[in-house]
Amino acid sequence: MNTAIESFRAELESVSLIRPMGRVMSAEGGLVRVTGLGTATLGDRLEIRRRDGSVLAGEALRLDPAGVLMLTEGMPEGITLGDPVLILPPAVVAPSDRWLGRVIDPLCRPLDGAPLLRGPRPRPFLAPPPAAAARRGLGPRLETGMAAMNTLLPVVRGQRLGLFAGSGVGKSSLLAHLARYMQADVVVVALIGERGRELRDFVETTLGPEGMRRAVIVAATSDAAATIRRRCAQTAMAVAEHFRDEGRSVLLLADSITRFAEAHREAALAVGEPPALRGYPASTAPLITALCERAGPGAEGQGDITAIFTVLVAGSDMEEPLADMMRGVLDGHIILDRAIAERGRYPAIDLLRSVSRSLPKAANDEENALIGRSRQLLGAYASNEAMIRAGLYSEGADPLLDQAIRAWSALDAFLAEPERHGIAHSFDRLRLALRKADALRDQQHRPALRAQ
């Protein structure tokens, strides 16, 4: 009851009786220049009152002596010179436990048809990360619901991972699996620029009632304005920070950082920032870095934000600017390969190009030996795959390659297996997958021992 009263009090305190007003001075496309708003700040949301009684919102993107340059969030038809422009109340996020199971937009308005009360403690969309010297280290290993990510690519509390994939390679399916089964107290999902028809399917089918009980979904569909799509990731991060500050373990899934960067590029180019990195403005890198740094372990007494950011890579080009930026700031990356998906193995994880920087600390000596052995065998097979499939390799020519051939089908299947019984069971299954290779290695060593 006290929580409800605090929420109502917060709603009342957010109401402002005085609102500064300016006027439309000029309009070109979606850019509108407003005069008379000397109190406006960058990032303020503004509202144009058109003569037909409708309103059009936007965001202040540039300030200069001539006024405020505003990018509208909809089509600018109907705007006339002199239309009044008001500053909307400051943008804040005020989550609470009542938000669990809800779907909201980046402005914290409900998208599921039910009212949404703000929590008692508002927080800004843009917040600094915890002080670097005060942050705790990465935590213990997490259950992921995937055999490969329980063993060969472990995820620990507070780790930040990138999921790199082209379109149609199974990125969304893997992300949905993690949203349902990965170990966490709260799951925050940012759907940035997603197709509108996919939202309901994600809520009702992918997550379902059980998954939604611990989840908050922040969604901005592909037809939303660039400023709204950009704000989607920042809102989701602010919601995750709220639960982290309460001491909880939070899983943040952001799909995708590529669309986040594209939305920023659209807004930045509209106000005249020149492109620098293959069409992306120079401000893209610090924007992405600031977002990623907000995730991770909290300070003493706080929880953690374990984050997985998806990156769309056209043609599997890992050297393109966004992929390069993300690899530099994250604690590992998982790469999905189209060739693997085309032969029917999902998730199409390319283990040899994927890295978890939680290793070797996330595993004990025996587990690290299993991981190293698996990578050795998969690497030997991959480097000779063309020769093997062409029938040009003769058994016995290379003992390591013989072992790799024996173990390959079991290891390849292991990378796609779900896991419902925990990390220890995943390692048991990995040992079983390696058994054929180890048996062959023992047979190859026996003749040498007899000769001695």
Side-chain angles (χ1 to χ4, degrees), residues 232-435:
C232 184
Q234 296 162 344
T235 300
M237 185 64 75
V239 173
E241 287 169 333
H242 165 80
F243 293 107
R244 177 205 64 195
D245 292 349
E246 290 191 338
R248 304 195 209 186
S249 174
V250 183
L251 172 62
L252 173 68
L253 304 174
D255 186 21
S256 70
I257 291 300
T258 304
R259 297 194 189 103
F260 170 67
E262 288 171 349
H264 173 68
R265 176 176 62 186
E266 187 178 334
L269 295 180
V271 294
E273 186 177 350
L277 304 168
R278 294 195 198 176
Y280 290 99
S283 58
T284 304
L287 182 78
I288 289 177
T289 302
L291 179 73
C292 293
E293 279 298 318
R294 292 168 66 183
E300 290 298 331
Q302 296 180 337
D304 311 86
I305 300 175
T306 305
I308 297 181
F309 303 98
T310 69
V311 183
L312 295 169
V313 284
S316 300
D317 181 11
M318 292 296 292
E319 304 305 318
E320 61 96 19
L322 289 182
D324 198 42
M325 285 179 210
M326 293 297 289
R327 284 204 313 274
V329 299
L330 297 178
D331 306 315
H333 50 270
I334 298 171
I335 297 175
L336 303 185
D337 186 81
R338 188 174 300 281
I340 296 174
E342 287 174 349
R343 61 178 171 82
R345 197 252 280 164
Y346 289 96
I349 296 173
D350 186 339
L351 179 71
L352 298 177
R353 297 171 63 204
S354 302
V355 174
S356 173
R357 293 178 183 166
S358 64
L359 288 172
K361 292 183 179 181
N364 60 36
D365 291 343
E366 191 262 346
E367 291 169 345
N368 277 314
L370 287 173
I371 293 168
R373 177 70 172 153
S374 302
R375 283 186 171 273
Q376 180 189 37
L377 294 174
L378 287 170
Y381 187 92
S383 60
N384 295 279
E385 184 174 9
M387 181 174 62
I388 295 168
R389 294 194 179 280
L392 301 177
Y393 176 73
S394 299
E395 186 175 359
D398 184 342
L400 177 62
L401 187 52
D402 290 341
Q403 296 160 30
I405 293 171
R406 289 284 187 93
W408 183 83
S409 59
L411 285 174
D412 188 63
F414 177 81
L415 293 174
E417 291 174 355
E419 179 58 78
R420 301 287 187 271
H421 303 290
I423 293 172
H425 190 260
S426 295
F427 273 105
D428 288 341
R429 293 163 68 181
L430 181 59
R431 291 185 189 94
L432 186 62
L434 291 172
R435 189 167 295 170

Side-chain angles (χ1 to χ4, degrees), residues 53-76:
S54 63
V55 296
L56 179 62
E59 184 175 317
L61 294 184
R62 193 170 74 189
L63 309 177
D64 58 39
V68 178
L69 197 61
M70 164 189 178
L71 183 63
T72 62
E73 294 171 2
M75 300 302 292

Side-chain angles (χ1 to χ4, degrees), residues 113-124:
L116 181 73
L117 291 177
R118 61 164 55 201
R121 292 182 299 278
R123 58 191 314 128

Side-chain angles (χ1 to χ4, degrees), residues 211-230:
M212 282 298 294
R213 283 193 199 101
R214 63 170 187 164
V216 180
I217 296 179
V218 185
T221 54
S222 57
D223 61 334
T227 51
I228 297 295
R229 283 180 276 126
R230 180 174 63 179

Side-chain angles (χ1 to χ4, degrees), residues 31 78 93 112 160 256 305 345 349 450 452:
L31 288 175
V93 187
D112 50 14
R160 300 168 301 184
S256 70
I305 300 175
R345 197 252 280 164
I349 296 173
R450 289 196 204 99
Q452 292 176 359

